[in-house]
Amino acid sequence: MLCVRTGERELVIKKSRFIAYGYNIASRDEVKPIIAKLKENHPAARHVCYGFIADEKGDDFGYDDNGEPNGTAGKPIYSALAAAGVTKSLIAVVRYFGGIKLGAGGLTRAYRASAAEFIEELGTATATRVCEYSVSCGGDAYKKVAAVLSNVGCAAENIVFADCVTFTVTASPQTDVIAMLKPFGVKVEKTGEKYTYM
């Protein structure tokens, strides 16, 4: 699965500054807090417009013109995301008005170019879904468990040695960590899922 790389890129058109920001998002719930933070960081900006694709298939998407003429900002940003084939991505474009009106066609081209050139210049990243587990066991079992995990390309992380050894494991959804570690009598609990980006 492809997604945008995080970063920023600026485009100047007729003295207006269009600053594009890219984000990886797990769901549409992350969009509003990101936009609120951008508005807070750019209080003098005239508009903060955005487009996003929040799911893996491209069915959960949205966009916002934030006061620009209808259809001239958010939709062109979204269309640049869709054209690049990225998902679970948000591009927001902060606009500082330069005093020269661009017209509806000019705005549409500017916002699309801002998003498309951001993707072209920064490239895309591959997002991989992984599962996270919490594990606790005795010191003797830990050595065996660590060896088994290493053999399947997983590693123990955030290791704490106390009365028992506790650590976390990140693995692909295809790796059944619970079944793999059950014979060692360890306590294993799936704590969630996340995406890693490379």
Side-chain angles (χ1 to χ4, degrees):
M1 179 178 67
L2 291 178
C3 57
V4 298
R5 290 196 182 276
T6 57
E8 67 179 89
R9 182 186 186 283
E10 183 170 335
L11 182 66
V12 178
I13 299 174
K14 294 185 178 178
K15 298 184 179 180
S16 277
R17 295 171 60 208
F18 294 84
I19 309 168
Y21 292 88
Y23 302 89
N24 306 131
I25 56 172
S27 73
R28 67 169 44 234
D29 295 337
E30 294 182 18
V31 174
K32 285 187 178 178
I34 290 171
I35 300 304
K37 187 68 177 172
L38 277 175
K39 288 179 178 179
E40 184 183 307
N41 292 343
H42 295 274
R46 182 72 66 91
H47 306 280
V48 180
C49 308
Y50 62 88
F52 67 87
I53 300 174
D55 65 342
E56 293 181 28
K57 294 181 180 179
D59 297 332
D60 185 9
F61 62 89
Y63 43 83
D64 190 330
D65 295 317
N66 190 228
E68 293 283 31
N70 190 35
T72 63
K75 197 168 185 179
I77 296 168
Y78 160 73
S79 69
L81 289 166
V86 296
T87 56
K88 303 200 73 70
S89 299
L90 161 69
I91 290 182
V93 179
V94 176
R95 180 186 180 204
Y96 285 89
F97 182 55
I100 301 170
K101 291 189 176 181
L102 302 179
L107 281 173
T108 301
R109 288 188 295 274
Y111 278 104
R112 180 167 170 78
S114 187
E117 290 180 21
F118 173 92
I119 296 168
E120 185 179 333
E121 188 173 298
L122 274 74
T124 56
T126 301
T128 306
R129 186 165 57 97
V130 293
C131 300
E132 295 180 298
Y133 299 87
S134 172
V135 185
S136 62
C137 61
D140 292 341
Y142 170 72
K143 292 176 184 175
K144 295 173 186 173
V145 167
V148 168
L149 291 171
S150 179
N151 286 340
V152 295
C154 299
E157 302 167 326
N158 308 311
I159 306 164
V160 177
F161 293 95
D163 293 339
C164 64
V165 183
T166 59
F167 56 94
T168 59
V169 176
T170 303
S172 74
Q174 292 77 30
T175 304
D176 191 343
V177 171
I178 294 174
M180 189 176 16
L181 300 185
K182 193 174 181 181
F184 299 98
V186 302
K187 184 180 176 188
V188 187
E189 181 184 352
K190 184 177 176 183
T191 55
E193 295 183 0
K194 67 177 183 178
Y195 283 85
T196 59
Y197 303 92
M198 298 186 66

